[in-house]
Amino acid sequence: MASSDGKTRDLVTNIAGAGWDFGLTRHRFHEIERPLGPRYCVYNRRLMACCFENRSTIDGYWLLRQKAVVLNTGELPLQFKGPDAERLLDKLFTKDITKLKIGRCAYGLACYEDGGLLVDGILLRLTKDCFWYGQADGDFYSWARAHAVDLDVEITDPKIFISQVQGPNAMKVLAAASDDGMPDPFGYFAMTRVRFGGQELVITRTGYTNELGWEFYTEPQHDANALWNHLKQAGEPYGIDISGLDSFNIRRIEAGILNAGSDFDHTTTPYDVGLGVFVDEKKDNFIGQLALKLCSKETRLIGLLCEAEPHIGGHIMIDGQTIGKVTAGAVSPYLQQGIGIALIQKSGSLPDTAVSVGCIDGQMHKGKLAELPLYDKSGAIQRGTVTEVPVRN
């Protein structure tokens, strides 16, 4: 039986005792989160906080929209190092990796031979022959190892943990926390190194919300407690605090940011879910290239607006006929209605088309298809060209 009936869910918590959690890894900030009453999902065999007893999901959402919030993620950075690192990654990813400059990062998709999506994530180029790939949940390590035979490249887990700082005050927090002030330049998808309280760390101009924000990479040599205390002190004037994935999930649906394993999987191509722009069909051979050349280029993924909260896996119907399914659902405090993402069986469904949507109460509710993102179509918020902070409804 699949999990998530729309009424209950299975999350992980901390209890006294030992044993049977040896396959799980805790974030470096686990002890900082523990007093807040975290409830975890398992992501890349890492614990990632979905929610906390000390703050509601809605309060966390408004902290993200109005101030600044930290999410300690379960993303798994893998390191690719050696003379053939670029060659391997260019084979694994649909984008032309040879064009990625040192000190930059890029969104990277990997496909199976039939064009189905395996995983997505952020690829960083630290040096000519060294890359980090912060992958979403998935079996990418074994896939990469299998395709690295006879190549001079070492693939390792460098035991790095990724955290996000997102919200309208995120850059103010960065400027205050950096020993040398705001890094310049630090444009969208930039990567750089900064010092926080004397500790040097890698940061990127990326995130999971389409809010203004950045991410930082905690490495094994870092003093995690000192790092957090420094960031917390610098960010206090700007309202910084920790929140969970549930709060971020609402915002990522509004923004049309996809989740590996639910919004796309091995049965969907990049084109099916609107990610065809990240496929360079004309570059040298990569896994899935032939299949992607021959497949349909039409998008079947679309947004949803609804009078109730859509249920993941719920039917999307017109005149009693199922036309698709819900892949993500929430209630937006900003839009004050149910929102979601839907995968339609056939392309061609247009925004504003009236539909019935299966919702978490077990009932079908009125809704309509909608263009993604659901607002801020130009991405002005994440680029910092819009500074107006929304008012809590």
Side-chain angles (χ1 to χ4, degrees), residues 62-349:
W62 283 114
L63 183 64
L64 168 64
R65 297 300 320 278
Q66 295 179 323
K67 296 180 181 179
V69 65
V70 177
L71 173 68
N72 298 315
T73 81
E75 293 164 310
L76 175 62
L78 297 176
Q79 180 169 282
F80 295 77
K81 188 174 184 179
D84 290 331
E86 180 187 271
R87 179 181 172 188
L88 173 62
L89 292 169
D90 203 45
K91 178 181 180 181
L92 295 174
F93 291 123
T94 60
K95 286 285 288 183
D96 188 346
I97 300 307
T98 66
K99 296 180 180 179
L100 183 60
K101 297 178 180 179
I102 297 171
R104 294 288 298 175
C105 50
Y107 180 63
L109 295 174
C111 290
Y112 292 104
E113 286 89 346
D114 64 359
L117 278 160
L118 168 62
V119 73
D120 71 340
I122 302 297
L123 182 67
L124 290 64
R125 188 165 202 165
L126 286 80
T127 67
K128 182 178 183 296
D129 294 333
C130 184
F131 299 79
W132 289 348
Y133 182 55
Q135 69 156 91
D137 197 26
D139 298 322
F140 189 66
Y141 174 78
S142 296
W143 180 254
R145 283 285 301 270
H147 289 281
V149 175
D150 297 327
L151 294 180
D152 189 0
V153 56
E154 183 182 18
I155 306 169
T156 60
D157 174 3
K159 310 299 182 184
I160 294 172
F161 292 83
I162 304 175
S163 299
Q164 301 188 9
V165 181
Q166 306 281 295
N169 288 344
M171 293 305 168
K172 297 176 183 177
V173 173
L174 176 57
S178 175
D179 296 353
D180 302 309
M182 185 69 184
D184 184 26
F186 192 51
Y188 200 48
F189 270 77
M191 183 204 89
T192 191
R193 295 180 183 272
V194 297
R195 289 185 299 117
F196 280 9
Q199 298 190 78
E200 184 180 272
L201 68 159
V202 171
I203 64 172
T204 60
R205 183 75 164 78
T206 51
Y208 192 54
T209 64
N210 275 13
E211 290 290 321
L212 198 62
W214 48 282
E215 298 181 278
F216 64 96
Y217 290 64
T218 304
E219 300 177 59
Q221 74 271 18
H222 289 140
D223 181 332
N225 287 331
L227 192 62
W228 170 251
N229 290 335
H230 179 82
L231 180 62
K232 176 68 172 175
Q233 183 177 9
E236 277 182 345
Y238 307 106
I240 196 171
D241 211 336
I242 294 175
S243 190
L245 183 61
D246 288 351
S247 300
F248 277 57
N249 184 57
I250 300 171
R251 185 66 184 95
R252 73 95 182 173
I253 295 173
E254 294 173 346
I257 298 175
L258 307 187
N259 178 59
S262 57
D263 299 314
F264 66 80
D265 59 21
H266 65 282
T267 68
T268 55
T269 70
Y271 297 105
D272 286 332
V273 295
L275 298 176
V277 66
F278 299 104
V279 178
D280 290 336
E281 288 187 2
K282 295 182 180 180
K283 77 167 190 172
D284 290 341
N285 182 53
F286 64 91
I287 298 171
Q289 183 175 36
L290 179 59
L292 292 175
K293 282 185 177 180
L294 299 176
C295 74
S296 169
K297 304 301 188 291
E298 300 297 322
T299 298
R300 297 189 290 120
L301 205 73
I302 195 166
L304 278 175
L305 297 174
C306 187
E307 61 185 20
E309 180 177 343
H311 180 210
I312 297 174
H315 292 285
I316 309 295
M317 306 182 76
I318 296 179
D319 297 330
Q321 299 295 314
T322 298
I323 66 163
K325 67 176 182 179
V326 178
T327 64
V331 172
S332 167
Y334 177 68
L335 297 176
Q336 295 189 295
Q337 59 186 310
I339 59 172
I341 298 174
L343 184 65
I344 306 303
Q345 294 170 355
K346 296 181 180 179
S347 61
S349 298

Side-chain angles (χ1 to χ4, degrees), residues 37-53:
R39 298 292 182 268
Y40 298 103
C41 65
V42 179
Y43 194 89
N44 282 316
R45 299 180 183 175
R46 295 179 164 197
L47 298 179
M48 178 163 55
C50 288
C51 54
F52 294 91
E53 291 179 352

Side-chain angles (χ1 to χ4, degrees), residues 26-44:
R26 295 171 172 176
H27 197 283
R28 291 291 303 281
F29 295 148
H30 182 85
E31 292 302 323
I32 294 165
E33 292 180 339
R34 190 200 292 271
L36 308 179
R39 298 292 182 268
Y40 298 103
C41 65
V42 179
Y43 194 89
N44 282 316

Side-chain angles (χ1 to χ4, degrees), residues 336-368:
Q336 295 189 295
Q337 59 186 310
I339 59 172
I341 298 174
L343 184 65
I344 306 303
Q345 294 170 355
K346 296 181 180 179
S347 61
S349 298
L350 300 176
D352 295 322
T353 298
V355 294
S356 295
V357 182
C359 293
I360 63 170
D361 61 2
Q363 304 297 314
M364 301 297 293
H365 287 270
K366 293 180 180 178
K368 65 179 181 179

